[in-house]
Amino acid sequence: MSRKQLTIGLFGFGCVGQGLYDVLRHTRGLQADIRKICVKHKDKKRSLPAEYFTFQADELLHDSEINVIVELIDDADAAYHIVKEALLRGKAVVSANKKMIAEHLPELLEIQQQTGLPFLYEAAACASIPVIRNLEEYYDNDLLTSIQGIVNGSTNYILTAMQEGTLSYDEALAKAQSLGFAESNPFLDVSGQDARNKLVLLAAHAFGTLISPEDVFFCGIDKISTADIAYAKEKGYSIRLVAQAIKQGEKLELWVLPQFLNSNHQLALVKDEYNGVLVEGVFSDKQFFSGKGAGSHPTASAVLSDISALSYGYRYEYKKTAQAGKPEYAQPEKLNLYVRFPANLDSADLPFEVVDEVYRSRSLCYVSGVADIKALIEEGWLNNPDVFIAQLPEPAPAQLLRDNLVLTEALAFES
Ligand SMILES: NC(=O)c1ccc[n+]([C@@H]2O[C@H](COP(=O)([O-])OP(=O)(O)OC[C@H]3O[C@@H](n4cnc5c(N)ncnc54)[C@H](OP(=O)(O)O)[C@@H]3O)[C@@H](O)[C@H]2O)c1
């Protein structure tokens, strides 16, 4: 198949934009040239001569020789207008802007159908890991049952550094920013919103279910303390921010939470800015993808792969969105949680249906067990700045059996 000549209009020349420029220079066999780069700040020092740049979006969008727009800016609203305009003007588009895509996916899908133009965004979920293309092509049947992943490089970097005792939360966040892993607004990372946006994209490609990011239950790591890290150490857990989508019959449950993982869990082995995704299917069982989830060149390599795919006419088909009987989004009802609360609160006020453990000391108060998610949200526990919520592993069947035996023996003794 002969490959198309691509003339690129590039938006953004920050961490990923500059990475793409480098990566393209080292790539042979691809006929793709950057014609012009649109950036925002006129007084910023650039590593390329001034004639490469413009500050006028229309210079790229109205240039009929440009057949591909690559959008790598950090402003989701501006990105939405650029991407929409580019598609409507007949240009193929590549983007890495997960916030913008998650917020506008149904409309962007419609525009792709109307125009027949490709819109690719592999870098928007798990940066260098080719997870979207795999979900689209390899897992294009209806047999997937779950996706569970570490999808945010900055929070994984912070959690690894805190757990290994090398950096405090603030130091690790500052380092993630200086290394180019964090969003320009790092609250998107630590609050869990970035992971939630990526989960929305993964769910669309894995299950065909389109979900508004606002509907997804999520908590981040912004309220984590050294006491929570000490708890993890004491229990032999690793802590990671995990996004998951689980098909339960006709329902698709989605949530993002910090999770305490047993040390032999595959995601516990994913460290620093790496991401990891566990995909489970009815017959394939578990498959695991891992790779760098942030950073200039790793992210640019996914953008490059999309550009390369455009050269042979590739586009997403979103096959599963058209499938009959695709699962409906549902919020999880009950989860096995650890909730750390301040000493002036009563653990009995928390909406736990089963309590496995209540602990109170001067430095740490927590309760663990099965919590009612709807009540947790409606009673405002997620907004309490002193409450940290994380998911716990399901108790092993042997543990449940032991607990039941102890309970039965105790009841027999009482009667
Ligand atoms: N960094 C990562 O590891 C990573 C990983 C995956 C996905 N992403 C996504 O990739 C995108 C870019 O991230 P980044 O880390 O490269 O951001 P960045 O380093 O902050 O760079 C942002 C670039 O966007 C330009 N820009 C902002 N608003 C603009 C506008 N309205 N018109 C034209 N240019 C504009 C800026 O111009 P100036 O140079 O003039 O300031 C800058 O060059 C984001 O959507 C991010 O979520 C990043």
Side-chain angles (χ1 to χ4, degrees):
M1 180 189 273
S2 71
R3 300 183 94 180
K4 249 196 196 158
Q5 166 72 42
L6 304 176
T7 305
I8 298 171
L10 173 62
F11 281 86
F13 200 63
C15 177
V16 187
Q18 295 200 47
L20 177 66
Y21 182 83
D22 295 343
V23 165
L24 266 175
R25 271 195 318 155
H26 288 95
T27 306
R28 310 232 176 281
L30 182 64
Q31 292 171 306
D33 300 312
I34 297 177
R35 187 177 176 90
K36 204 92 191 176
I37 306 168
C38 180
V39 283
K40 187 173 181 182
H41 297 102
K42 294 193 172 156
D43 46 3
K44 218 179 201 177
K45 266 201 154 170
R46 308 281 170 191
S47 55
L48 292 175
E51 60 265 26
Y52 278 79
F53 297 97
T54 176
F55 304 95
Q56 303 300 325
D58 285 351
E59 212 179 301
L60 273 57
L61 296 168
H62 293 192
D63 184 334
S64 58
E65 283 177 29
I66 288 178
N67 53 7
V68 177
I69 291 292
V70 178
E71 179 282 300
L72 300 173
I73 71 172
D74 59 338
D75 175 336
D77 295 333
Y80 164 67
H81 292 292
I82 290 164
V83 166
K84 190 172 163 182
E85 176 85 3
L87 287 167
L88 293 174
R89 286 187 166 273
K91 301 179 193 308
V93 177
V94 175
S95 169
N97 204 315
K98 48 265 174 156
K99 181 174 188 297
M100 180 276 289
I101 305 167
E103 285 170 359
H104 298 281
L105 191 56
E107 186 192 355
L108 292 170
L109 214 141
E110 228 177 272
I111 299 176
Q112 288 172 74
Q113 276 159 358
Q114 255 172 42
T115 59
L117 284 159
F119 172 46
L120 305 181
Y121 42 82
E122 187 62 73
C126 304
S128 75
I129 311 177
V131 64
I132 295 182
R133 198 98 56 87
N134 269 296
L135 292 173
E136 269 287 298
E137 304 305 326
Y138 184 85
Y139 300 99
D140 67 340
N141 48 61
D142 61 353
L143 299 170
L144 281 185
T145 50
S146 75
I147 291 192
Q148 191 186 23
I150 293 171
V151 298
N152 180 277
S154 308
T155 46
N156 210 50
Y157 183 86
I158 294 168
L159 293 173
T160 310
M162 285 181 81
Q163 193 143 23
E164 289 177 355
T166 49
L167 298 172
S168 69
Y169 176 87
D170 289 333
E171 287 166 344
L173 173 57
K175 191 132 186 240
Q177 284 180 285
S178 74
L179 291 169
F181 304 151
E183 291 295 308
S184 329
N185 171 8
F187 187 67
L188 287 176
D189 295 303
V190 295
S191 66
Q193 289 178 56
D194 180 76
R196 177 193 66 171
N197 292 336
K198 289 166 176 167
L199 184 61
V200 164
L201 303 188
L202 296 180
H205 290 276
F207 301 101
T209 310
L210 300 181
I211 302 144
S212 167
E214 283 95 73
D215 292 339
V216 178
F217 170 55
F218 77 103
C219 288
I221 65 158
D222 47 324
K223 292 187 268 175
I224 197 167
S225 74
T226 47
D228 306 314
I229 299 287
Y231 168 87
K233 251 189 202 151
E234 158 90 23
K235 302 273 181 185
Y237 294 140
S238 291
I239 182 158
R240 300 283 183 267
L241 183 67
V242 179
Q244 49 195 327
I246 297 189
K247 200 169 156 190
Q248 309 268 21
E250 302 302 300
K251 302 274 179 216
L252 183 68
E253 292 185 352
L254 257 65
W255 70 95
V256 175
L257 278 177
Q259 277 197 30
F260 293 111
L261 300 168
N262 289 316
S263 54
N264 60 353
H265 194 291
Q266 259 147 325
L267 294 180
L269 307 174
V270 177
K271 295 192 172 180
D272 303 321
E273 78 274 28
Y274 278 77
N275 282 184
V277 181
L278 263 174
V279 175
E280 195 162 359
V282 176
F283 298 113
S284 54
D285 206 348
K286 285 189 178 145
Q287 286 166 317
F288 183 57
F289 298 79
S290 169
K292 285 196 171 171
S296 177
H297 287 158
T299 309
S301 75
V303 178
L304 175 79
S305 179
D306 281 349
I307 294 172
S308 173
L310 290 179
S311 74
Y312 53 82
Y314 177 75
R315 49 177 297 199
Y316 300 146
E317 289 179 50
Y318 302 91
K319 296 172 204 126
K320 291 191 186 168
T321 58
Q323 251 169 31
K326 59 177 185 277
E328 291 282 320
Y329 168 71
Q331 187 174 275
E333 286 176 16
K334 294 174 203 326
L335 290 172
N336 199 31
L337 297 186
Y338 155 101
V339 178
R340 192 235 315 140
F341 57 92
N344 61 350
L345 285 183
D346 186 344
S347 66
D349 291 341
L350 284 154
F352 274 82
E353 293 194 353
V354 176
V355 172
D356 289 327
E357 194 184 355
V358 181
Y359 178 87
R360 268 187 181 275
S361 74
R362 265 184 247 182
S363 56
L364 176 65
C365 302
Y366 70 82
V367 54
S368 67
V370 180
D372 179 327
I373 301 306
K374 194 163 172 242
L376 209 57
I377 297 168
E378 285 176 359
E379 292 167 19
W381 294 102
L382 307 187
N383 306 325
N384 186 322
D386 299 315
V387 168
F388 174 71
I389 296 170
Q391 193 174 346
L392 283 161
E394 288 304 315
Q399 177 68 44
L400 281 178
L401 190 64
R402 250 194 328 270
D403 291 350
N404 280 342
L405 281 177
V406 171
L407 188 67
T408 317
E409 277 168 17
L411 289 174
F413 181 74
E414 272 173 26
S415 58

